[in-house]
């Protein structure tokens, strides 16, 4: 005899077995629905473009067929000089509405034989100028008076904040600071010194005195002088400052060795040291010296 709890157990087991298949079926159904919607959207847009093109061709054909009648209407004195008449003129080949009237009237002065005509600016230019005035007033009102829209700085900060939320908090996340302690074992610092001499000395000097890169032996830092800030700078680099990212070229342990060695250079005062750059920070925790 099958007991009720056995039936429940069997049903649960069946659901567990069927769950991956149900998930895959749901995912496939969602993808199929998305493809159908995309296809339908392109079909509607294509149909709309086709209908607009047909109407445009019919309109051009109608204007060409009625052009003699439109020309007679345009030549009427009561129509010719009105604004609606100028719009009608565009259909019969008169572009006064856009180009304006050229009077070619000479002004009563000249400069070394150079005469100036008294012609108005083309209407298209004046309409464009008026549009820029309207745009400027709208822009100032929207962004600076009502403060409804975000200015470039605020928009950039918001986008960076959103981007930071999309990055997973992993050891490869440049927004997440590590919690390492400086290495104190002489062997680790010696390894850091070898890596520094091979990769870092060309820019920072053999003794960290600074060349293209900043001086690493004083108390001034551009991107933080605590070991985890130094680790981050070495690993991810600094865009636009010439400091390359050593992520992928050095292991995490090697980067920590270099960062610890850099901190061991504090106060060594090498010859020809580069002037301080950045902000002064309190000396970090005592670290071993080679």
């Amino acid at each position: 005899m099958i007991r009720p709890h056995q039936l429940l157990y069997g049903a649960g087991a069946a659901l567990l077995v069927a769950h991956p298949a149900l998930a895959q079926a749901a995912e496939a159904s969602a993808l199929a629905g998305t493809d159908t919607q995309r296809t339908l959207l392109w079909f509607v847009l294509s149909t709309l473009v086709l209908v607009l093109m047909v109407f445009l061709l019919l309109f051009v054909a109608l204007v060409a067929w009625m052009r003699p009648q439109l020309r007679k209407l345009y030549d009427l004195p009561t129509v010719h000089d009105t604004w609606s008449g100028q719009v009608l003129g565009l259909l019969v080949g008169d572009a006064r509405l856009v180009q304006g009237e050229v009077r070619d009237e000479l002004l009563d002065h000249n400069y070394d034989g150079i005469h100036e005509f008294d012609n108005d600016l083309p209407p298209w230019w004046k309409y464009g100028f008026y549009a820029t005035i309207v745009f400027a007033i709208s822009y100032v009102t929207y962004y600076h008076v009502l403060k409804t829209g975000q200015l470039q700085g605020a928009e950039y900060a918001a986008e960076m904040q959103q981007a930071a939320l999309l990055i997973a908090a992993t050891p490869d996340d440049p927004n997440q600071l590590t919690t390492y302690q400086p290495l104190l074992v002489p062997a680790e610092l010696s390894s850091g010194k070898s890596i520094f001499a091979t990769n870092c000395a060309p820019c920072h000097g053999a003794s960290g005195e600074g060349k293209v890169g900043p001086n690493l032996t004083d108390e001034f830092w551009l991107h933080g002088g605590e070991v985890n800030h130094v680790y981050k700078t070495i690993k991810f680099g600094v865009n636009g400052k010439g400091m390359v990212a050593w992520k992928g070229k050095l292991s995490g342990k090697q980067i920590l060795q270099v960062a610890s060695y850099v901190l061991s250079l504090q106060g060594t005062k090498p010859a020809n040291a580069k002037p301080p750059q950045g902000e002064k920070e309190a000396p970090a925790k005592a670290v071993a010296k080679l």
Side-chain angles (χ1 to χ4, degrees), residues 9 11 18 33 71 89-90 118 128 180 184 198 219 221 234 240 247 252 265 284:
Y9 177 79
R71 186 70 193 187
L90 293 176
D118 185 17
Y180 296 130
L184 304 177
T198 302
E219 298 176 355
W221 297 90
I234 297 172
K247 171 188 172 183
L265 298 176

Side-chain angles (χ1 to χ4, degrees), residues 79-102:
V79 176
H80 187 272
D81 294 327
T82 62
W83 188 86
S84 58
Q86 294 179 9
V87 174
L88 180 61
L90 293 176
L91 300 178
V92 296
D94 189 348
R96 282 190 307 151
L97 182 64
V98 178
Q99 297 178 354
E101 293 185 5
V102 180

Side-chain angles (χ1 to χ4, degrees), residues 13 25 63 75-76 85 179 198 205 217 231 248 262:
V63 169
D75 290 336
L76 293 175
T179 56
T198 302
T217 65
Y231 181 94
V262 167

Side-chain angles (χ1 to χ4, degrees), residues 132-201:
T132 60
I133 296 175
V134 173
F135 174 80
I137 294 174
S138 303
Y139 182 91
V140 171
T141 302
Y142 183 77
Y143 286 101
H144 295 278
V145 178
L146 300 178
K147 296 183 178 180
T148 305
Q150 290 183 332
L151 295 176
Q152 290 181 345
E155 187 177 10
Y156 174 78
E159 289 178 355
M160 293 300 293
Q161 185 177 7
Q162 291 176 358
L165 294 175
L166 296 175
I167 299 177
T170 66
D172 289 333
D173 180 5
N175 297 302
Q176 182 186 28
L177 204 62
T178 53
T179 56
Y180 296 130
Q181 294 296 324
L183 300 176
L184 304 177
V185 180
E188 302 282 8
L189 295 177
S190 179
S191 297
K193 179 179 180 180
S194 299
I195 298 171
F196 182 92
T198 302
N199 301 289
C200 311

Side-chain angles (χ1 to χ4, degrees), residues 219-238:
E219 298 176 355
F220 292 81
W221 297 90
L222 291 170
H223 308 288
E226 194 269 336
V227 65
N228 292 287
H229 287 94
V230 178
Y231 181 94
K232 175 182 175 181
T233 303
I234 297 172
K235 183 174 184 178
F236 298 105
V238 181

Side-chain angles (χ1 to χ4, degrees), residues 180-186 189 216 221 225-228 230 256-268 283-290:
Y180 296 130
Q181 294 296 324
L183 300 176
L184 304 177
V185 180
L189 295 177
L216 301 177
W221 297 90
E226 194 269 336
V227 65
N228 292 287
V230 178
L256 183 58
Q257 289 171 340
V258 176
S260 300
Y261 172 71
V262 167
L263 294 183
S264 73
L265 298 176
Q266 293 291 287
T268 53
K285 260 189 229 185
V287 295
K289 305 284 184 180
L290 284 179

